[in-house]
Amino acid sequence: MKSATYIERLNRPLRTYAFLFLAFLYVPVLFLPLFSFNDSLYISFPLKAFTTKWYAQMFADQPMHAALMNSLKVGVATAVFATILGVFGAKAVTRYRIPGRKPVVFTIMLPLVIPGIIMGVALLMLVSRLGIPLSLYTVTLGHVLISVPFAMAILIARFEGFDKSMEEAAADLGDNAWWTFWRVTFPIVFPGILASLLLTFTISFDEFIMAFFLSGTDPTLPIYIWSQLRFPKKLPGVLALGSVILVVSFVVVFASQWLRGRGAARISDESSEP
Amino acid sequence: MSGNDAFISIQALSKHFGPVKAVDRIDMTIGGGEFFSLLGASGCGKTTLLRMLAGFETPTAGDIHIDGVSMDEVAPHHRPTNMVFQNYAIFPHLDVRKNIAYGLRVLRLGNAEVDRRVDEMLEVVKLPGFGERRSNELSGGQRQRVALARALIKRPKVLLLDEPLGALDKKLREEMQLELRALQQSLGITFIFVTHDQEEAMTLSDRIAVMADGKVLQTDTPEQLYEAPNSREVGAFIGTMNFLRGRIVALELDPETIVVEAGAAGTFRVAGTGRGRTVGDPVLVGIRPEKLSVSVTQPADGTNAIQGRFAAMSYLGDRSHYFVEVDGLDQRISVASQNDLQHLLAVGQLDFGAEIWLTWAPAGAVILAD
Amino acid sequence: MSDTVSIAVRPAGPGRSWRSRLRALYLRSEALRGYTLLSPTLVVMAFAMVAPFTILVAMSFWTQTGFDIDTTLTLRNYQEAADAPVYRALLIRSLWISGTCAVLTVLFSYPMAYYVAFHVHRRKLVWIILMTLPFWTSYLLRVFSWKVILGYNGAINSGLKSLGLIEQPLEFLLYSPTAIVITLAHAWAAFAILPIYVSLEKIDRSLLEAAADLGDGPVARFLRVTLPLSLPGVIAASLLIFIPTVGDYITPTLVGGPDGIMIANLIQVQFGRVNDWPMGATLAILMMIVVGLISVTYIWLSRKAIERIA
């Protein structure tokens, strides 16, 4: 590990601030698990007895199971489609000199900066004008649309992280495009693909706004949670469910980001002199 | 091995990147078994030309034939060329053996045969025992050898090398130069070598093409390029050259010698260059620093000589460079010699600012295109 | 003696079939090959962007008649939106809330990004993941957790009451624009931290050493070198928060109360209870236009500012 230079030496007040900032990010979220173990219908202090009955209640909830299955289906489909589209797009924009690269990338990245409600209502109008009934398919369409920019961003970074000459070397040694992809590109980009799958799955799994406008009679998990918020009696169950979702999301996202970061670090190690 | 003179033939080849003409209507022939270098400053189009040979860039116009076959529609993976990349492009996810064996997939050889060939190549590039290493466990020189082995195992008709020694330090570079040259001679494969280092090109090559702005300035053997550059750019790029601008005042047809009047540099003779010239033509004369000798006394009449002042010196160990100022010339004249002035300086017979004379033989200068 | 694969030789010249010509064109044009590879992504994205937005624009010129949509083109919705003061008031409030939120989030995130960029040497990756992790988890649940905290009988009020510090719940905490700003700042912090962090990380450390060498103390160094060089990140961060938050309706619904209704709530009810899709489309387009104009002006102004510094 390199030692700190004069410019990068320890700054205690700043470090304190950084820890406070992390607390601001994480403490609010921790109230969900805290109250989910509280033996009271009301979410307020002082805490009553410890209980796991809200979890038992949640796991017994049949509509919740259905919603969970819906979310899993949509999430897996979204992850696969968005990542495939991301691989095509990322390879094309990093490996070819194409005229109009900037506007093309801008178009693909646009969903990042358009308010979700606008994307949601615009797609709702489209599918209803086309006479397509709202279903999990329409939700998946919406989720793919907002996930592709993230998949592209991860994969572009990964493609830029390894030298184009690797693929040229494979072609030079006799591999056609197909073999070059499977023997060189894919193994090197693989951590990025995995990170993209995990991240786009999480985005879809947690997404609410698009699903709000585009789902039919089958709710996804966030839509189901939203519908439960109206009933005070159901709140503790929502807290339990929310806690589980948060924990799972945290683990999945941490894994995906770790893969992404480690992958990037490994590539840069390899391209520098030992 | 086909020994024909036009093993590779390049016709009116151009590559434009938008408004930039990276390669501009180049014609070139390269013989079988030749060690051929493309030499030029960065951005001169040498790498683009090499990449067009490999098939990674598609020409805007023109054609390339290798061994009589047009490469126009041949994809990189079907070309009889293999490349050593500038950064070596060693696959990070494979070990050395798998890297070297990479190109054998298309040949569908048995495992034993693959192993045998890989071992053979490891011997050739002097890396036996390194087969299980990964690219991040290799030094720069070792990576270079792996890249070489990986390209050569395909037994290509042409090996393309894109500044392969650029990343190595000076000592290792010189060692690798000798090895490369020996390897090329023993294999008899055509090598096309891209470099910006003129000494490297001179050491290695049978012939060198000097490039600038997408065009070839001169293609010749190292000796010819040095002794008889055809233009000011080539003269200045290969080694150092002093330039004198003048006008022909007389022709002596036997032997074909011209007399040049060059203003402040006086009047002098240039041998062997009289053919096709007429009195009154403007000429540019180039003289290499080592063709000049220094004299502290005025030379005899009729010798080529310029009078100037001793201005500066740089000591290089095995030789020294002296710089002489001449009134009326905007550039100092540079002289190389094997330290014979050191002695004069030491005993006080010569000092900075002293008047000295530079002399050279009529055959020591060349006439250049401007 | 050559082991290289045989080369498919094609006759050149006028005898070539159109397929071989097409193939030659494809091989010659890198752009064509690039676009071929890009086409699945581009077609899907372009279709999923262009088609809905065309309908959105068309819809805004139509009108709702009972349960049917009258497709005669008219500007009636825009007229109505311009005439009714409630739309303008809500739009201005939304812009104000999002603007405040963007400024505050950037201000509070900057030191955090600065710390990680300049003062974290070990396990930097872990810090970066920790800073951005909450962003990837359920937006709905994060907003909901603020309702749990700020609520009338929420964690803060009930906590303070049980400690005997207050008699009556603090009402300003929930159902107010302040609650929205706090919640949004929490939800979007990662969008501020990342661009700022990236722009700080990119700064060559020798520039700061040069500034120190030339006599600048820490504050002067920050103001004269670090801050100007990180401005692109700051600008990106503020826009990345401002633009999406204007269109948020979950946060105002959960923690905003009657004083915290934003323009997106109004858009949402056009598609729900009110069932006037054309009006919803009109409001969505007006919101996009206003946000777009503000963003473009902001980018233009900040470019000018950066040019002046440089």
Side-chain angles (χ1 to χ4, degrees), chain B residues 1 57-62 69 71-74 77-80 106-107 117 154-155 157, chain C residues 1-12 16 20-21 23-24 27-30 33:
Chain B
M1 217 8 275
E57 304 286 352
T58 40
T60 310
V69 180
M71 293 291 119
D72 191 25
E73 284 182 22
V74 182
H77 59 279
H78 288 143
R79 294 198 181 196
V106 285
L107 303 181
R117 288 206 192 179
K154 298 269 300 182
R155 300 181 191 165
K157 293 178 180 174
Chain C
M1 67 148 265
S2 171
D3 275 337
T4 36
V5 276
S6 66
I7 295 161
V9 187
R10 279 164 187 280
R16 291 196 296 181
S20 134
R21 273 163 208 268
R23 198 182 115 86
L27 280 177
R28 276 198 178 260
S29 169
E30 183 170 349
R33 278 176 288 153

Side-chain angles (χ1 to χ4, degrees), chain B residues 87-113:
Chain B
N87 61 357
Y88 312 138
I90 307 295
F91 302 120
H93 59 296
L94 304 175
D95 65 18
V96 167
R97 289 196 78 85
K98 292 206 173 94
N99 260 284
I100 293 176
Y102 190 95
L104 297 179
R105 178 191 66 84
V106 285
L107 303 181
R108 306 190 184 287
L109 305 172
N111 284 340
E113 174 64 8

Side-chain angles (χ1 to χ4, degrees), chain C residues 170-214:
Chain C
L170 303 168
E171 290 186 17
F172 70 88
L173 280 179
L174 191 59
Y175 306 129
S176 71
T178 315
I180 299 182
V181 170
I182 296 176
T183 308
L184 286 177
H186 177 254
W188 293 89
F191 259 53
I193 292 176
L194 266 188
I196 299 174
Y197 167 78
V198 169
S199 67
L200 286 169
E201 188 65 51
K202 271 202 300 215
I203 297 175
D204 188 341
R205 301 306 190 256
S206 62
L207 294 177
L208 296 170
E209 290 173 350
D213 186 59
L214 295 169

Side-chain angles (χ1 to χ4, degrees), chain A residues 25-46:
Chain A
L25 281 185
Y26 284 87
V27 171
V29 178
L30 294 179
F31 278 95
L32 297 188
L34 178 71
F35 284 109
S36 72
F37 291 109
N38 188 27
D39 190 7
S40 160
L41 254 185
Y42 305 102
I43 304 173
S44 66
F45 285 114

Side-chain angles (χ1 to χ4, degrees), chain A residues 8-9 17 26 45 85 99, chain C residues 35 41 108 119 130 158 205:
Chain A
E8 299 181 329
R9 70 201 186 284
Y17 179 86
Y26 284 87
F45 285 114
L85 292 177
Chain C
Y35 271 107
T41 315
F108 282 102
H119 297 289
L130 278 179
S158 62
R205 301 306 190 256

Side-chain angles (χ1 to χ4, degrees), chain B residues 123-345:
Chain B
E123 289 290 337
V124 169
V125 298
K126 299 178 183 163
L127 281 179
F130 281 79
E132 322 309 321
R133 301 234 188 150
R134 290 276 183 136
S135 77
N136 55 352
E137 298 164 333
L138 299 173
S139 72
Q142 288 164 343
R143 284 183 201 197
Q144 206 262 339
R145 287 160 197 267
V146 174
L148 201 57
R150 187 178 67 179
L152 286 174
I153 202 167
K154 298 269 300 182
R155 300 181 191 165
K157 293 178 180 174
V158 183
L159 186 72
L160 308 170
L161 301 105
D162 187 5
E163 305 225 13
L165 309 179
L168 309 180
D169 58 52
K170 195 171 185 311
K171 201 123 187 116
L172 190 57
R173 197 160 66 221
E174 282 166 5
E175 208 177 293
M176 285 306 299
Q177 282 170 7
L178 293 178
E179 273 184 43
L180 264 185
R181 184 68 179 147
L183 197 62
Q184 192 263 339
Q185 276 165 351
S186 69
L187 294 171
I189 294 175
T190 307
F191 275 35
I192 301 182
F193 187 92
V194 160
T195 181
H196 64 268
D197 182 336
Q198 48 117 349
E199 263 181 56
E200 188 166 279
M202 304 278 272
T203 312
L204 289 169
S205 320
D206 294 320
R207 286 196 305 151
I208 300 171
V210 182
M211 292 181 64
D213 298 327
K215 291 190 157 66
V216 174
L217 301 175
Q218 184 173 359
T219 307
D220 243 320
T221 60
E223 295 75 18
Q224 278 296 307
L225 280 178
Y226 191 81
E227 297 296 338
N230 65 1
S231 64
R232 184 186 181 117
E233 284 126 303
V234 174
F237 193 77
I238 310 270
T240 313
M241 196 164 224
N242 299 299
F243 298 104
L244 299 171
R245 205 173 279 284
R247 179 176 300 279
I248 300 178
V249 292
L251 292 171
E252 297 169 0
L253 288 175
D254 188 32
E256 296 170 337
T257 295
I258 57 172
V259 180
V260 177
E261 204 272 285
T267 304
F268 50 83
R269 284 184 167 70
V270 182
T273 55
R275 186 165 309 196
R277 301 187 192 273
T278 48
V279 172
D281 281 355
V283 286
L284 182 69
V285 180
I287 312 171
R288 294 285 184 198
E290 70 278 6
K291 305 282 185 192
L292 293 164
S293 335
V294 176
S295 151
V296 288
T297 56
Q298 184 162 9
D301 270 359
T303 350
N304 290 338
I306 306 179
Q307 189 183 6
R309 269 184 317 281
F310 184 43
M313 183 192 85
S314 55
Y315 177 68
L316 300 171
D318 54 344
R319 69 211 135 89
S320 295
H321 276 163
Y322 306 94
F323 299 96
V324 177
E325 251 166 21
V326 177
D327 287 331
L329 290 187
D330 45 6
Q331 276 194 315
R332 290 168 165 182
I333 291 186
S334 134
V335 183
S337 77
Q338 291 177 329
N339 302 330
D340 44 355
L341 292 189
Q342 296 301 111
H343 168 70
L344 295 178
L345 280 165

